Amino acid sequence: MTGGAGAGSVRIVDHDHRTMRIALDAAQAAAERGETPVGAVVVDPESGEIVAVGSNSPIGSHDPTAHAEIVALREAARKRGNYRLTGLTLVVTLEPCAMCAGAISHARIARLVFGAEDPKGGAVVNGPRFFEQPTCHSRPLVAGGVLADESSVMLKTFFRERRG
């Protein structure tokens, strides 16, 4: 699957898989801390540099905004000395929610790559389709479905274990 019409779409490339593996490792680290297993990576597509890695941490940090995407965007902005992350790619294991989509837009991320879709809480190809709204500041190119099965299995296993 590639991204929504209003967001633009891009072909999935080999480095998306390599970067998603790093995001999956970050998601696993979140799960081991009892956080929902979502991981995110900000990468410079020109150099291949991993600028920042984030994982969900709202429980441990007592911060409802500490989604993996926000954690990674904050670290990347700090490292770059600028909240605008123009030209960078964000790779995340789960379709971003509306809050994260807004932050992605404000950060001017050039490209968003995500794994599993989130029919309940997603805001890119599901729900409000944030990047298709006329009030959206900046629209990244979107590629979805990268290692989606692995992301989905990790989430389902996490929640199954918590319930049972």
Side-chain angles (χ1 to χ4, degrees):
M1 190 239 68
T2 54
S9 63
V10 293
R11 196 170 340 147
I12 297 169
V13 293
D14 286 341
H15 64 80
D16 291 344
H17 287 93
R18 288 192 300 274
T19 308
M20 185 62 78
R21 293 245 174 253
I22 297 168
L24 284 164
D25 289 344
Q28 183 60 45
E32 291 168 4
R33 295 190 315 270
E35 303 275 1
T36 301
V38 179
V41 177
V42 177
V43 62
D44 182 334
E46 295 295 318
S47 67
E49 172 197 7
I50 301 300
V51 179
V53 177
S55 59
N56 265 8
S57 60
I59 298 168
S61 66
H62 311 289
D63 179 356
T65 69
H67 290 194
E69 301 94 324
I70 302 295
V71 172
L73 290 172
R74 284 177 180 158
E75 179 64 14
R78 186 191 65 72
K79 283 183 177 176
R80 291 289 166 108
N82 192 336
Y83 76 96
R84 289 194 174 173
L85 303 173
T86 307
L88 300 182
T89 297
L90 177 67
V91 177
V92 61
T93 59
L94 183 65
E95 176 184 355
C97 69
M99 174 185 71
C100 292
I104 291 163
S105 176
H106 281 281
R108 308 303 197 265
I109 288 291
R111 190 164 169 262
L112 168 67
V113 177
F114 70 87
E117 287 189 24
D118 185 356
K120 184 177 178 182
V124 177
V125 298
N126 289 287
R129 297 182 182 215
F130 187 90
F131 301 124
E132 295 178 23
Q133 301 307 313
T135 55
C136 180
H137 296 294
S138 177
R139 294 166 177 81
L141 294 174
V142 176
V146 177
L147 301 179
D149 290 342
E150 291 183 43
S151 297
S152 181
V153 166
M154 186 182 298
L155 284 157
K156 288 175 183 172
T157 300
F158 175 81
F159 287 113
R160 187 178 326 111
E161 289 173 357
R162 289 185 63 105
R163 281 188 223 104

